[in-house]
């Protein structure tokens, strides 16, 4: 929905700008805010679906168990510490913007705090999903679950057709 809104705003803004030679920085900033919201809030869902960028050409040559160890190592050494740091420093950063009612420095710009609040919120969601992924990996290594709980789901052509039909009904 955010992507559709961003595309509509971008299109209308371009049409108005080229037709009437008029525009506003607020239209550009709302596009950036929508893109930031999509990116920051969807990252944890992308992690859940195991669709983050990785080097499958290399990791795919290892056993499932080795791949899980690599994931666990990456989550514990990189994802969790970086996410914690960003939440730790991002919350005061966003709160200061909220308290000061910070506005864009651009003429006709928008309030800034919603965009700044997306940073700690997005990484908090990433932290929570990271904990979930770590638990699943440990359960796999302990033999409690099989790997399909966290494996990338590849949609069949039939599933994609059904998803398109469902989307067209909206």
């Amino acid at each position: 929905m955010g992507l559709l809104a961003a595309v509509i705003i971008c299109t209308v803004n371009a049409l108005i700008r080229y037709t009437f030679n008029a525009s506003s920085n607020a239209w550009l900033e709302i596009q950036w805010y929508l893109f930031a919201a999509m990116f920051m809030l969807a990252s944890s869902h992308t992690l859940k679906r195991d669709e983050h960028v990785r080097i499958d050409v290399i990791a795919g040559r290892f056993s499932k168990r080795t791949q899980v160890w690599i994931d666990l190592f990456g989550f514990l050494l990189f994802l969790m510490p970086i996410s914690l740091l960003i939440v730790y420093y991002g919350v005061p950063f966003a709160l200061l913007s909220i308290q000061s009612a910070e506005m864009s420095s651009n003429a006709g710009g928008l309030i800034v705090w919603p965009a700044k609040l997306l940073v700690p919120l997005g990484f908090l969601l990433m932290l929570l999903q990271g904990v979930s992924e770590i638990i699943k990996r440990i359960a796999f290594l302990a033999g409690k679950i099989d790997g399909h709980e966290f494996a990338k789901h590849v949609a069949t052509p039939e599933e994609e057709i059904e998803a398109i039909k469902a989307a067209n009904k909206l």
Side-chain angles (χ1 to χ4, degrees):
M1 198 59 152
L3 179 60
L4 178 60
V7 168
I8 290 170
I9 289 169
C10 180
T11 303
V12 170
N13 184 36
L15 289 172
I16 290 171
R17 186 172 61 243
Y18 291 115
T19 304
F20 301 108
N21 199 23
S23 186
S24 168
N25 284 326
W27 289 108
L28 295 173
E29 289 182 10
I30 196 68
Q31 291 172 57
W32 300 336
Y33 287 16
L34 289 169
F35 175 76
M38 287 182 293
F39 181 80
M40 293 304 300
L41 301 177
S43 294
S44 57
H45 181 69
T46 303
L47 179 62
K48 178 183 180 191
R49 292 178 52 99
D50 194 36
E51 293 182 350
H52 277 276
V53 175
R54 61 172 52 156
I55 306 171
D56 286 337
V57 174
I58 296 171
R61 295 174 189 227
F62 297 123
S63 69
K64 182 67 175 172
R65 192 165 181 81
T66 302
Q67 291 175 17
V68 168
W69 274 109
I70 292 170
D71 284 348
L72 197 55
F73 174 77
F75 294 150
L76 292 171
L77 196 65
F78 299 109
L79 177 72
M80 300 307 281
I82 295 300
S83 295
L84 278 168
L85 277 172
I86 292 173
V87 169
Y88 179 79
Y89 287 108
V91 168
F93 179 69
L95 289 177
L96 182 62
S97 182
I98 292 168
Q99 291 167 348
S100 68
E102 184 179 3
M103 295 291 296
S104 170
S105 60
N106 296 318
L110 303 175
I111 55 175
V112 175
W113 68 263
K116 288 187 176 182
L117 188 59
L118 286 171
V119 174
L121 181 60
F123 277 93
L124 177 63
L125 292 172
M126 186 68 84
L127 268 171
L128 294 172
Q129 189 59 46
V131 169
S132 173
E133 297 303 316
I134 289 168
I135 291 169
K136 288 186 266 186
R137 293 334 189 262
I138 291 171
F140 173 81
L141 292 171
K144 304 286 185 196
I145 63 172
D146 60 4
H148 82 276
E149 277 84 1
F150 53 84
K152 184 183 293 187
H153 175 73
V154 178
T156 65
E158 293 80 19
E159 290 173 327
E160 288 191 21
I161 290 169
E162 287 304 315
I164 291 168
K165 286 180 183 177
N168 286 332
K169 291 179 183 178
L170 294 177

